[in-house]
């Protein structure tokens, strides 16, 4: 249990520091960062799979067109989420990005209702309603929908939905997704090179090159920590730990990047945090009640 909490907390801590990483390579266009993230991630994951001698799954997956199709969809959703996140960090929208990941658990609840036909409890309905009110408040104050937050939450929620029923575990699944994205990423980097626009080659900064190469382990290690932690701890504990990442991102947006955070915007965040508090507390209460009922029936 303690080891699982440590692994999961470390994964969310790493994700919480992502704005610092993407800001450090701000000279690189978001599309090029995304391409390098795909390329170096595949290289790193291939090394991990080779060390673990874990390749037997690949021929079996390639022989199943429906599984390949599902992973093509999840790979496109993942790359869309990455691109929006990278763009938001490098264009001064770290707070909007953090809001997206605060909203994400409630998007998962809605997707469960609409796609998986899951039934929502009263507490979950209340949480979703309050969160919707918070989004409506932010929309009214800004004069437009918080598109960055909503697109991040929707794309990652849909990605999570596909991976929930995926035929592969975390390591193999991410490896296969990066394999599918590799030709696009390699082609784009090749096109940049032929047109003299490859920042990796043109930049005078060796640190930028090293940071781009580090995209592989930076992407994969938190996911592997998350997978290791998720197997060892209850889902309720994992659900509470996941708010570490957007909280860290929000604090970085405020204290490091000095983004504007008006009183009206704070009200919207507080409303959404209230929804999350209801969601978490209600989930813990239901979990404990179920555990007590199971114990008494033995």
């Amino acid at each position: 249990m303690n080891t699982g909490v440590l692994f999961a907390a470390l994964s969310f801590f790493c994700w919480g520091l992502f704005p610092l990483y993407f800001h450090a390579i701000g000279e690189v266009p978001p599309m090029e960062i995304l391409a390098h993230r795909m390329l170096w991630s595949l290289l790193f994951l291939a090394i991990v799979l080779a060390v673990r001698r874990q390749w037997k799954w690949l021929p079996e997956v390639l022989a199943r067109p429906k599984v390949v199709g599902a992973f093509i969809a999840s790979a496109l959703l993942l790359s869309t989420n990455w691109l929006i996140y990278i763009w938001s960090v490098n264009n001064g929208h770290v707070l909007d990005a953090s809001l997206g990941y605060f909203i994400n658990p409630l998007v998962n609840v809605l997707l469960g209702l609409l796609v998986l036909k899951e039934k929502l409890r009263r507490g979950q309905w209340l949480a979703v309603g309050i969160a919707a009110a918070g989004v409506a408040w932010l929309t009214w104050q800004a004069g437009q929908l918080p598109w960055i937050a909503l697109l991040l939450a929707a794309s990652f929620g849909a990605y999570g939905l596909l991976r929930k029923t995926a035929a592969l575990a975390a390591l193999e699944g991410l490896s296969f997704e990066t394999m599918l994205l590799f030709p696009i990423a390699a082609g784009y980097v090749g096109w940049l090179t032929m047109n003299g626009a490859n920042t990796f080659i043109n930049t005078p900064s060796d640190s930028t090159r090293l940071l781009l190469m580090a995209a592989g382990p930076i992407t994969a290690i938190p996911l592997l920590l998350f997978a290791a932690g998720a197997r060892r701890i209850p889902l309720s504990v994992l659900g509470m730990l996941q708010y570490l990442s957007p909280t860290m991102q929000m604090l970085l947006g405020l204290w490091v990047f000095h983004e504007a955070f008006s009183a009206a915007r704070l009200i919207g965040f507080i409303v959404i945090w209230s929804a999350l508090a209801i969601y978490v507390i209600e989930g813990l209460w239901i979990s404990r009640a179920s555990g007590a009922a199971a114990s008494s029936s033995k």
Side-chain angles (χ1 to χ4, degrees):
M1 176 70 170
N2 291 336
T3 304
V5 170
L6 177 62
F7 286 160
L10 281 173
S11 71
F12 290 118
F13 181 79
C14 292
W15 284 325
L17 293 176
F18 266 21
L20 295 176
Y21 170 72
F22 290 120
H23 190 265
I25 50 175
E27 67 172 286
V28 186
M31 277 294 294
E32 189 173 348
I33 294 175
L34 177 63
H36 278 284
R37 195 174 183 186
M38 297 172 187
L39 297 176
W40 297 109
S41 292
L42 180 57
L43 176 61
F44 178 81
L45 291 166
I47 293 171
V48 173
L49 289 170
V51 170
R52 298 179 63 172
R53 298 180 180 179
Q54 206 166 325
W55 288 104
K56 292 182 180 179
W57 55 271
L58 186 56
E60 298 174 4
V61 170
L62 292 175
R64 300 166 64 185
K66 288 185 178 180
V67 174
V68 173
F71 272 95
I72 289 174
S74 67
L76 291 174
L77 282 168
L78 182 62
S79 59
T80 299
N81 182 268
W82 283 356
L83 180 60
I84 296 169
Y85 184 80
I86 294 167
W87 181 91
S88 64
V89 170
N90 288 352
N91 285 271
H93 295 284
V94 175
L95 290 174
D96 290 323
S98 71
L99 178 63
Y101 291 109
F102 277 122
I103 295 174
N104 178 246
L106 301 176
V107 170
N108 292 339
V109 171
L110 281 177
L111 288 173
L113 170 70
L114 298 174
V115 180
L116 302 180
K117 307 303 180 183
E118 297 175 350
K119 293 183 178 180
L120 300 190
R121 300 184 296 268
R122 290 181 181 179
Q124 292 176 317
W125 275 116
L126 179 61
V128 170
I130 292 174
V135 172
W137 169 262
L138 290 170
T139 301
W140 181 66
Q141 288 294 322
Q144 62 179 7
L145 283 168
W147 288 111
I148 293 172
L150 292 176
L151 287 173
L152 282 172
S155 59
F156 199 69
Y159 172 74
L161 180 67
L162 285 177
R163 289 306 307 272
K164 181 179 176 66
T165 56
L168 297 175
L171 173 61
E172 294 86 347
L174 181 63
S175 300
F176 192 50
E177 286 165 348
T178 52
M179 288 177 195
L180 293 170
L181 294 168
F182 179 83
I184 301 173
Y188 180 68
V189 171
W191 179 83
L192 289 175
T193 303
M194 288 188 294
N195 287 274
N198 188 333
T199 309
F200 185 85
I201 296 174
N202 298 337
T203 181
S205 173
D206 289 334
S207 62
T208 297
R209 291 191 190 90
L210 290 172
L211 285 170
L212 284 173
M213 293 171 66
I218 285 173
T219 297
I221 288 174
L223 183 73
L224 298 177
L225 286 169
F226 173 81
R231 288 194 296 267
R232 291 172 167 84
I233 59 177
L235 191 60
S236 58
V237 177
L238 190 68
M240 293 181 66
L241 287 173
Q242 74 179 0
Y243 298 115
L244 174 64
S245 176
T247 300
M248 289 176 60
Q249 293 174 23
M250 184 196 70
L251 294 176
L252 287 173
L254 288 173
W255 295 344
V256 178
F257 304 118
H258 306 293
E259 294 185 15
F261 199 56
S262 64
R265 198 177 191 189
L266 176 60
I267 291 172
F269 269 68
I270 289 173
V271 172
I272 290 171
W273 290 334
S274 300
L276 289 174
I278 292 171
Y279 171 76
V280 170
I281 292 170
E282 191 267 355
L284 288 173
W285 184 79
I286 292 293
S287 178
R288 288 180 180 177
S290 299
S295 298
S296 62
S297 64
K298 290 181 181 179

